């Protein structure tokens, strides 16, 4: 066996054997020639070998983002993959960084899928890595997700009303961009002179506001505390406000 042409050297295991191993270090097209000599005549035959070089699979883990929910989707995409060596690419999501350096705060639902959901137990900054492996080579890329709690604002901060009348407060739920969060259930409770145990709930409207109205039918005068909170997607409590009855 000899090399007629090619972009690089070829190492034959035993060039004097009809069946032998050939090692190529440079991709490209090679022409190899096998010759046979019986002491009088020589015969030759050529073969062309197209050598491919496996390329590292490249993936994207998506764009960095800020969310106010306790779950989101990790959306990976394949940037380039040549199908070598066996048209199989394995994917793996993992937690690189989490609040308090505790990766257990993030729960990746399907870590070997290119696209998967993830749940969060705590607000803060998370870094996820996506690795692509074709069994010969691999690459890794990261994405950062910042989980922030929305804000719940209860108003008015202080109000006065005669006993045996109604009183209304509003709670406005905003995301980290100060945009209203709609159709979210907000719970309310009252503690004070009108009698503990008064509760209510309401859904936020298009402006992110939920309302709560109640009546002090106890006849008692004095101050009481009104609280509001939501635990839809993430737990958020508003700063309590006060009502003065008298």
């Amino acid at each position: 066996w000899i090399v007629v042409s090619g972009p690089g050297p070829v190492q034959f295991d035993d060039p004097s054997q009809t069946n032998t191993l050939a090692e190529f270090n440079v991709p490209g097209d090679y022409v190899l020639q096998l010759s046979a000599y019986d002491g009088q005549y020589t015969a030759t035959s050529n073969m062309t070998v197209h050598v491919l070089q496996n390329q590292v699979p490249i993936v994207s883990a998506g764009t960095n983002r800020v969310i106010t929910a306790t779950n989101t989707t990790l959306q990976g995409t394949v940037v380039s993959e040549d199908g070598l060596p066996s048209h199989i690419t394995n994917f793996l999501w993992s937690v690189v960084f989490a609040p308090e350096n505790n990766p257990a705060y993030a729960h990746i639902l399907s870590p070997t899928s290119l696209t998967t959901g993830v749940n969060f137990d705590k607000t803060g900054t998370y870094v996820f890595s996506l690795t692509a492996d074709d069994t010969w080579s691999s690459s890794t890329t990261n994405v950062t997700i910042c989980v922030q709690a929305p804000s719940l604002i209860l108003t008015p901060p202080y109000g006065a009303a005669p006993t045996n009348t109604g009183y209304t407060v509003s709670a406005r739920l905003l995301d980290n961009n100060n945009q209203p969060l709609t159709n979210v259930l907000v719970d309310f409770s009252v503690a004070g002179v009108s009698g503990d145990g008064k509760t209510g709930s309401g859904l936020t409207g298009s402006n992110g506001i939920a309302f709560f109205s109640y009546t002090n039918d106890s006849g008692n005068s004095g101050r009481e505390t009104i609280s509001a909170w939501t635990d839809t997607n993430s737990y958020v409590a508003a700063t309590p406000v006060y009502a003065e009855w008298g």
Side-chain angles (χ1 to χ4, degrees), residues 15 17 19 26 36 52-53 68 72 87 90 96 101 108 121 133 135 137-138 146 164 169 207 234-236 243 246:
Q17 298 293 318
N19 295 325
V26 180
L52 300 175
Q53 184 176 26
T68 54
T72 191
H87 294 280
N90 300 308
V96 177
N101 283 323
I108 303 174
D121 291 339
D133 187 339
T135 72
S137 57
S138 65
C146 183
N164 298 313
V169 295
N207 54 4
S234 59
Y235 180 82
V236 183

Side-chain angles (χ1 to χ4, degrees), residues 4-246:
V4 178
S5 63
V10 179
Q11 181 67 43
F12 295 101
D13 190 45
D14 187 347
S16 65
Q17 298 293 318
T18 55
N19 295 325
T20 186
L21 294 176
E23 181 178 338
F24 306 87
N25 293 321
V26 180
D29 292 324
Y30 294 79
V31 176
L32 307 181
Q33 185 179 90
L34 174 63
S35 61
Y37 176 64
D38 64 1
Q40 184 178 3
Y41 299 102
T42 299
T44 62
S45 179
N46 291 349
M47 68 176 297
T48 300
V49 179
H50 182 60
V51 179
L52 300 175
Q53 184 176 26
N54 181 49
Q55 302 296 318
V56 176
I58 304 298
V59 290
S60 169
T63 56
N64 300 333
R65 57 191 184 275
V66 177
I67 64 172
T68 54
T70 57
N71 57 79
T72 191
T73 299
L74 298 174
Q75 182 71 58
T77 55
V78 177
V79 177
S80 65
E81 168 55 40
D82 59 10
L84 297 175
S86 56
H87 294 280
I88 296 176
T89 305
N90 300 308
F91 304 104
L92 180 64
W93 287 97
S94 59
V95 183
V96 177
F97 179 81
E100 302 174 11
N101 283 323
N102 187 351
Y105 286 143
H107 306 278
I108 303 174
L109 303 184
S110 183
T112 58
S113 298
L114 192 58
T115 299
T116 179
V118 58
N119 298 328
F120 304 99
D121 291 339
K122 191 178 183 67
T123 58
T125 300
Y126 295 80
V127 179
F128 297 92
S129 69
L130 173 62
T131 299
D133 187 339
D134 65 6
T135 72
W136 278 8
S137 57
S138 65
S139 68
T140 299
T141 183
N142 294 342
V143 63
T144 299
I145 298 177
C146 183
V147 182
Q148 293 185 353
S151 60
L152 186 63
I153 304 169
L154 192 57
T155 56
Y158 176 83
T163 56
N164 298 313
T165 61
Y167 188 73
T168 299
V169 295
S170 63
R172 190 176 192 193
L173 188 63
L174 303 174
D175 66 14
N176 59 294
N177 292 318
N178 285 324
Q179 296 301 308
L181 295 173
T182 64
N183 202 37
V184 177
L185 186 67
V186 178
D187 294 302
F188 300 86
S189 68
V190 178
V193 295
S194 66
D196 294 345
K198 289 183 180 296
T199 61
S201 60
L203 291 173
T204 57
S206 60
N207 54 4
I209 296 177
F211 295 94
F212 171 62
S213 299
Y214 73 102
T215 301
N216 176 7
D217 50 11
S218 68
N220 296 326
S221 299
R223 176 179 296 190
E224 61 188 1
T225 303
I226 306 168
S227 302
W229 69 93
T230 177
D231 56 8
T232 302
N233 294 328
S234 59
Y235 180 82
V236 183
T239 299
V241 297
Y242 304 96
E244 188 79 32
W245 297 98

